[in-house]
Amino acid sequence: MTIDKRIADDLAANGVSFVTTVPCKQLAGVIEEIDQRDDIFHIPSNKEDEGMGLCAGAWMGGKRPAIIMQNTAIGVTINTLATLIQYYRMPLPMLISYRGELREPVACQVEMAVHTKALLAQMNIPTYHFHWQRDVEEFDNILKYTFMCNKPVAILTDANFWGGYGDQ
């Protein structure tokens, strides 16, 4: 089973029926996997904060949502996370490509990587870092946790987790 299929299967097994995504090269496989499924409604977003608004609407409409996005937009999501997702105690699994970490080939991605974990920690958002493919074994438990405690949770997935950029 591929990592992409495992992630999509875990989402579905935990009742996630609405996923919004913002394009990212690292996340392309999992986005394609989700887009092909009948048990998950997938709607692409132009921006991460817009996607969080869509997830909030899905939650209020009785769906379990998730967002798939890049860490480079964490900065623009701070207000939406604080005043909508956290204030109204909405569970939101955030599968985030952790651009700018080890094996990143694009230098400008590094600057946001330096701040990603600190911003999430400042907001008291539980954060998990998937560096090895075996780390996906925790994904099911992380999903159960976020829906149990009604909190957003960040799962940072770096280039090593996704297999690098063809440099292996």
Side-chain angles (χ1 to χ4, degrees), residues 65-163:
I67 187 167
I68 298 177
M69 58 184 267
Q70 273 190 43
N71 68 309
T72 51
I74 288 289
V76 299
T77 66
I78 299 295
N79 185 55
T80 306
L81 279 166
T83 62
L84 181 62
I85 304 301
Q86 288 181 312
Y87 182 79
Y88 290 102
R89 296 189 43 83
M90 295 179 189
L92 183 61
M94 299 180 290
L95 185 67
I96 302 170
S97 61
Y98 195 16
R99 301 297 306 266
E101 261 293 307
L102 299 176
R103 299 178 73 184
E104 171 65 56
V106 182
C108 68
Q109 299 281 19
V110 173
E111 292 310 313
M112 194 59 200
V114 170
H115 303 288
T116 297
K117 286 183 178 179
L119 287 169
L120 292 166
Q122 180 65 37
M123 296 193 68
N124 296 317
I125 294 175
T127 302
Y128 304 89
H129 183 168
F130 287 9
H131 182 68
W132 304 106
Q133 290 198 344
R134 67 180 175 265
D135 294 338
V136 78
E137 297 297 322
E138 289 297 321
F139 192 55
D140 179 65
N141 286 326
I142 293 166
L143 292 170
K144 285 176 176 35
Y145 174 79
T146 191
F147 290 112
M148 177 275 301
C149 65
N150 285 353
K151 291 185 178 299
V153 173
I155 304 102
L156 303 176
T157 59
D158 64 26
N160 199 70
F161 174 78
W162 295 111

Side-chain angles (χ1 to χ4, degrees), residues 8-39:
D9 285 351
D10 281 354
L11 287 167
N14 281 278
V16 173
S17 59
F18 179 93
V19 174
T20 187
T21 61
V22 181
C24 173
K25 182 178 180 179
Q26 285 182 2
L27 300 168
V30 74
I31 292 171
E32 182 179 332
E33 179 70 34
I34 286 168
D35 196 47
Q36 294 175 3
R37 297 182 70 111
D38 292 329
D39 53 350

